[in-house]
């Protein structure tokens, strides 16, 4: 959906109506403001109809029901309820229930969402022309019951998603539960000349089922101490019948003067200017069926047996070890162990150098093996 034209988005209320709102009880005035703000959000893009707006004074709740928007491009957005809780100018939460987006431009598609909630959004209706305010509005987002249909058949579902991008309180993260993708149906929508390669990748990733399911979670936190800031992160991705990937990071940092940790984490360029005071990083890779399938595919593509392919991989690992050192060789040999199914897990632990700049590490990645203390284990 394109951004509304600001000139056409201005709503000029009759003076009599504006005066009536000013003298009306707060709930009635807020009802008028919610309708005006919603109309302004969609102005210039199509037509918005609102069934009714009601308020619950004791619970400080304002509800717009039966929203129906039809765009000039043929999209249709239906929302059962739009609920604002708390003070209208600084709401505690905004909740949308029963969302359905229908698009008929090229391929028919329907997106449905049971519930979307935004905590402490800063305003009751998302802005249409301010990137900073929009980021604040979406910084604490929870949604549940998402489904996407293509040609009126299900292609993707998501049980829940929770986002906390407001790092001012020292923590944040992103959590996904039960994301399921019908890769076979989605590939059918891809250009014809790309489908063969995409189907091959899908078959390896899903063991031929064409359906991918994953769960993921990423936590970030930071703590200011006397002479430095400690940054921590944990994350995991689990792809059913394929693999699991997890990480743990602890970084003590000395920040550039005048910058807060939240400002630093929001800007990669500023983050690279921080000074590392050591730190630890662990990366855990577990196989749940993917690597043996990769072995079969790799051998077939090269026209060799699986044992020949493994032997080539070992020789290549030794060659890279001669160029970049034993740590790189150990890592590559660990991946070979996953391919041949002699190991199910690979763990890489790294101790970072003290008193070093992040930007200096990024500038010369080939020299990293010599500067890092890296340990590789397979189980």
């Amino acid at each position: 959906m394109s951004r509304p034209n600001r000139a056409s988005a201005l709503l000029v209320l009759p003076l009599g109506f504006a005066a009536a709102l000013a003298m009306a009880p707060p709930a009635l005035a807020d009802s008028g403001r919610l309708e005006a703000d919603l109309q302004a959000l969609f102005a210039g893009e199509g037509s918005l109809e609102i069934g009714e707006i009601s308020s619950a004074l004791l619970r400080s709740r304002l509800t717009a029901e039966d929203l129906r928007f039809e765009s000039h491009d043929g999209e249709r957005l239906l929302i059962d309820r739009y609920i604002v809780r708390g003070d209208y100018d600084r709401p505690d939460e905004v909740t949308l229930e029963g969302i359905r987006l229908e698009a008929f431009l090229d391929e028919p598609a329907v997106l449905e969402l049971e519930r979307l909630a935004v905590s402490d959004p800063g305003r009751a209706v998302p802005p249409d022309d301010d990137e900073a305010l929009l980021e604040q509005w979406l910084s604490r987002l929870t949604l549940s019951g998402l489904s996407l249909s293509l040609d009126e058949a299900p292609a993707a579902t998501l049980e829940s998603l929770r986002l906390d991008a407001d790092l001012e309180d020292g923590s944040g993260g992103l959590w996904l539960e039960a994301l399921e993708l019908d890769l076979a149906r989605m590939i059918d929508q891809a250009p014809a000349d790309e489908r063969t390669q995409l189907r091959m990748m899908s078959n390896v990733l899903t063991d031929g089922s064409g359906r991918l399911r994953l769960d993921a979670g990423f936590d970030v936190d930071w703590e200011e101490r006397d002479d430095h800031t400690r940054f921590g992160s944990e994350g995991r991705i689990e792809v059913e019948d394929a693999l699991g990937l997890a990480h743990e990071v602890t970084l003590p940092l000395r920040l550039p003067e005048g910058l807060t940790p939240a400002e630093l984490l929001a800007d990669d360029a500023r983050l690279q200017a921080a000074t590392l005071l050591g730190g630890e990083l662990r990366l855990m890779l577990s196989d749940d069926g993917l690597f043996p399938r990769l072995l079969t595919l790799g051998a077939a593509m090269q026209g060799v047996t699986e044992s020949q392919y493994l032997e080539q991989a070992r020789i290549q690992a030794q060659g890279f070890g001669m160029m970049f050192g034993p740590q790189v060789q150990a890592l590559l040999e660990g991946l070979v162990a996953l391919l041949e199914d002699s190991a199910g897990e690979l763990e890489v632990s790294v101790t970072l150098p003290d008193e070093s700049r992040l930007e200096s590490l990024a500038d010369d990645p080939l020299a990293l093996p010599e500067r890092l203390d890296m340990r590789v284990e397979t189980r």
Side-chain angles (χ1 to χ4, degrees):
M1 185 181 304
S2 60
R3 190 181 303 279
N5 185 300
R6 287 298 297 162
S8 62
L10 295 176
L11 297 176
V12 182
L13 297 175
L15 292 178
F17 180 54
L21 284 180
M23 295 183 292
L28 178 59
D30 288 345
S31 297
R33 292 174 65 191
L34 177 58
E35 180 173 8
D37 287 344
L38 288 171
Q39 291 288 356
L41 177 64
F42 293 100
E45 292 297 310
S47 61
L48 174 66
E49 298 178 2
I50 302 175
E52 65 174 356
I53 297 181
S54 60
S55 60
L57 296 178
L58 295 180
R59 298 182 180 179
S60 299
R61 185 178 66 202
L62 196 61
T63 303
E65 299 189 49
D66 299 326
L67 283 72
R68 181 186 180 93
F69 169 75
E70 296 197 15
S71 76
H72 301 313
D73 296 327
E75 296 173 326
R76 183 183 301 132
L77 175 64
L78 307 175
I79 302 174
D80 289 345
R81 283 169 294 279
Y82 189 107
I83 305 169
V84 180
R85 291 182 172 86
D87 187 281
Y88 188 85
D89 292 309
R90 188 71 184 184
D92 300 321
E93 182 181 81
V94 172
T95 305
L96 286 71
E97 298 177 349
I99 303 168
R100 180 181 175 91
L101 175 62
E102 303 172 355
F104 307 100
L105 297 178
D106 298 318
E107 300 291 341
V110 176
L111 177 70
E112 294 183 282
L113 187 59
E114 292 179 1
R115 185 176 186 271
L116 184 152
V118 182
S119 300
D120 192 20
R123 56 185 295 167
V125 176
D128 62 346
D129 65 345
D130 189 315
E131 290 304 322
L133 287 178
L134 183 60
E135 289 178 5
Q136 179 184 356
W137 207 85
L138 297 176
S139 62
R140 291 180 178 173
L141 172 71
T142 302
L143 60 84
S144 59
L146 181 147
S147 66
L148 172 66
S149 300
L150 300 174
D151 291 327
E152 304 312 317
T157 60
L158 175 64
E159 185 174 307
S160 67
L161 177 149
R162 183 163 62 94
L163 170 67
D164 182 358
D166 182 3
L167 300 179
E168 294 293 339
D169 60 357
S171 64
L174 171 67
W175 302 269
L176 286 173
E177 291 188 21
L179 172 62
E180 295 194 24
L181 304 176
D182 188 339
L183 297 182
R185 179 167 298 280
M186 299 174 76
I187 290 171
D188 287 341
Q189 308 297 319
D193 59 346
E194 299 177 6
R195 291 174 193 166
T196 299
Q197 185 175 6
L198 290 174
R199 287 193 180 104
M200 180 179 64
M201 296 171 58
S202 171
N203 288 336
V204 173
L205 192 58
T206 67
D207 198 15
S209 71
R211 299 190 66 86
L212 180 145
R213 174 185 168 123
L214 68 83
D215 299 277
F218 302 93
D219 296 87
V220 176
D221 65 87
W222 56 266
E223 178 185 5
E224 293 190 77
R225 299 187 175 178
D226 292 339
D227 58 348
H228 69 278
T229 297
R230 188 201 65 82
F231 169 78
S233 174
E234 294 185 3
R236 62 174 181 85
I237 299 176
E238 297 173 359
V239 183
E240 189 174 86
D241 297 325
L243 81 162
L245 184 65
H247 79 267
E248 297 176 2
V249 177
T250 301
L251 295 179
L253 298 170
R254 184 180 301 120
L255 308 186
E257 188 174 352
L259 287 181
T260 67
E263 292 172 335
L264 207 67
L265 295 176
D267 189 332
D268 289 341
R270 289 178 171 177
L271 182 60
Q272 291 186 9
T275 301
L276 271 176
L277 304 176
E280 298 286 336
L281 182 151
R282 292 178 63 223
L283 182 67
M284 291 77 72
L285 175 62
S286 59
D287 176 56
D288 196 17
L290 175 64
F291 279 84
R293 297 197 293 268
L294 288 174
L295 170 60
T296 301
L297 176 64
M301 293 183 66
Q302 292 196 12
V304 298
T305 66
E306 292 184 4
S307 59
Q308 289 173 327
Y309 186 86
L310 285 171
E311 185 60 27
Q312 292 176 7
R314 290 191 185 94
I315 293 173
Q316 291 175 349
Q318 294 170 1
F320 278 104
M322 294 176 63
M323 288 188 291
F324 302 113
Q327 297 177 112
V328 172
Q329 181 174 338
L331 173 60
L332 296 178
E333 289 177 342
L335 293 174
V336 173
L338 294 179
L339 285 173
E340 67 178 354
D341 206 18
S342 63
E345 296 181 358
L346 171 67
E347 180 175 320
V348 180
S349 302
V350 176
T351 300
L352 301 173
D354 193 6
E355 293 291 341
S356 59
R357 299 285 289 274
L358 286 175
E359 60 185 356
S360 68
L361 299 179
D363 288 341
D364 192 4
L366 294 180
L368 285 180
E370 298 179 359
R371 304 180 61 185
L372 304 178
D373 178 11
M374 186 169 74
R375 301 165 301 284
V376 180
E377 297 181 19
T378 55
R379 291 184 286 274

